[in-house]
Amino acid sequence: MRDRFGVQCCLEFYKPEELQLLLRVQRNPECKIDKEGALEIARRSRGTPRIANRLLKRVRDFAQVLGVEVIDRQLADEALAKLEVDCYGFDRNDRKILTTIVNLRRRSCRH
């Protein structure tokens, strides 16, 4: 299928440092984010700005409930842990899907 098109492109994921900048430039007067907090969220965003923005919104929710004005690394880590987002950026649903794929693969290899 790929040979039918004249151009073959490979998309690259963003690096955490690039996503960190994206997160830090977003202005929110009620809740700011420091460099390390932004980097923690960026690391768990799987190189995708859409995921980074979604996680930032959820971490801001935690900060607002706690009355915290600046999101640092510790708060980002705690909020993401409560959201069950692991160090690879996978949440509970992602892990379920991956486990299902692995189990299906194991079953197919036995036959």
Side-chain angles (χ1 to χ4, degrees):
M1 179 83 159
R2 288 176 27 166
D3 291 334
R4 293 192 174 270
F5 300 97
V7 177
Q8 293 181 11
C9 298
C10 180
L11 298 177
E12 301 275 331
F13 290 106
Y14 287 85
K15 294 177 178 75
E17 296 76 18
E18 294 167 329
L19 286 173
Q20 172 197 29
L21 294 173
L22 172 76
L23 295 172
R24 294 210 55 211
V25 298
Q26 293 186 15
R27 300 286 180 228
N28 186 332
E30 298 166 12
C31 186
K32 296 177 179 26
I33 185 166
D34 73 10
K35 184 177 179 179
E36 294 301 315
L39 188 56
E40 186 63 30
I41 294 170
R43 283 186 191 123
R44 299 190 198 198
S45 298
R46 298 182 299 195
T48 310
R50 176 182 45 80
I51 294 173
N53 286 325
R54 179 176 55 84
L55 293 178
L56 176 59
K57 288 176 186 175
R58 298 297 68 86
V59 172
R60 277 190 180 145
D61 291 343
F62 274 85
Q64 184 178 16
V65 167
L66 295 172
V68 176
E69 292 181 15
V70 178
I71 297 170
D72 61 7
R73 191 207 58 77
Q74 182 179 350
L75 178 69
D77 181 54
E78 290 172 9
L80 293 170
K82 287 184 181 185
L83 292 167
E84 298 182 46
V85 177
D86 65 18
C87 63
Y88 301 106
F90 297 122
D91 62 19
R92 185 182 347 170
N93 289 332
D94 297 322
R95 288 188 294 276
K96 252 184 184 175
I97 291 167
L98 291 171
T99 300
T100 300
I101 292 169
V102 168
N103 289 337
L104 287 172
R105 178 72 176 136
R106 284 182 183 159
R107 281 189 216 144
S108 69
C109 289
R110 290 182 192 155
H111 294 18

